[in-house]
Amino acid sequence: QVQLLEAGGGLVHAGGSLRLSCAASGRTLSRHTVAWFRQTPGKEREFVAALFRSNTNAYYKDSVKGRFTISRDNTKNTVYLQMNSLQPEDTAVYYCAADLSLILSSLRRHTEYDYWGQGTQVTVSS
């Protein structure tokens, strides 16, 4: 079992930055696919970014490419999402997710992930 705990959300003005963290306990995440999703009221949870298994290649939602960076620190068993140039449309609850057996073609499907954090609110004011 993996427990995930997000932190780092908050209120920021448009153009600002935030760094989300996702600390894992229970098992090491070094071989897991790790991802960030976000959700707004009434909408389906959407993919934001991921690192596939132990690969260093990152995958991003098109609208966040060049602004967001996902990374992991295996020594701290923690995943990060650096968010720059934030826009009001980035406002959402952000969730960290992890899975050990997910295949690459399922990377963007939230239903394929076994482990989830509780979410952290990010609000970007215009």
Side-chain angles (χ1 to χ4, degrees), residues 1 20 23 27-28 32 40-41 48-49 67 73 76 80-81 89 100 114 125:
Q1 287 290 332
L20 305 183
R27 293 184 67 176
T28 177
H32 286 66
T40 54
V48 175
R67 300 188 298 123
D73 184 338
K76 297 181 179 180
Y80 301 96
L81 184 68
E89 52 265 34
L100 188 57
D114 282 342
S125 63

Side-chain angles (χ1 to χ4, degrees), residues 13-99:
H13 292 300
S17 298
L18 284 173
R19 188 176 81 153
L20 305 183
S21 63
C22 173
S25 59
R27 293 184 67 176
T28 177
L29 287 183
S30 60
R31 293 187 299 120
H32 286 66
T33 293
V34 292
W36 290 93
F37 287 79
R38 65 189 183 188
Q39 190 170 24
T40 54
K43 293 190 176 180
E44 189 172 3
R45 197 165 293 189
E46 67 173 7
F47 172 80
V48 175
L51 291 169
F52 180 65
R53 298 184 181 173
S54 57
N55 198 309
T56 57
N57 289 341
Y59 300 82
Y60 296 98
K61 175 181 173 64
D62 284 347
S63 64
V64 308
K65 284 180 182 176
R67 300 188 298 123
F68 291 11
T69 303
I70 185 172
S71 62
R72 72 168 103 200
D73 184 338
N74 290 333
T75 65
K76 297 181 179 180
N77 213 22
T78 299
V79 180
Y80 301 96
L81 184 68
Q82 177 66 43
M83 305 186 294
N84 299 328
S85 301
L86 282 160
Q87 299 301 315
E89 52 265 34
D90 296 316
T91 295
V93 176
Y94 283 71
Y95 296 91
C96 173
D99 194 275

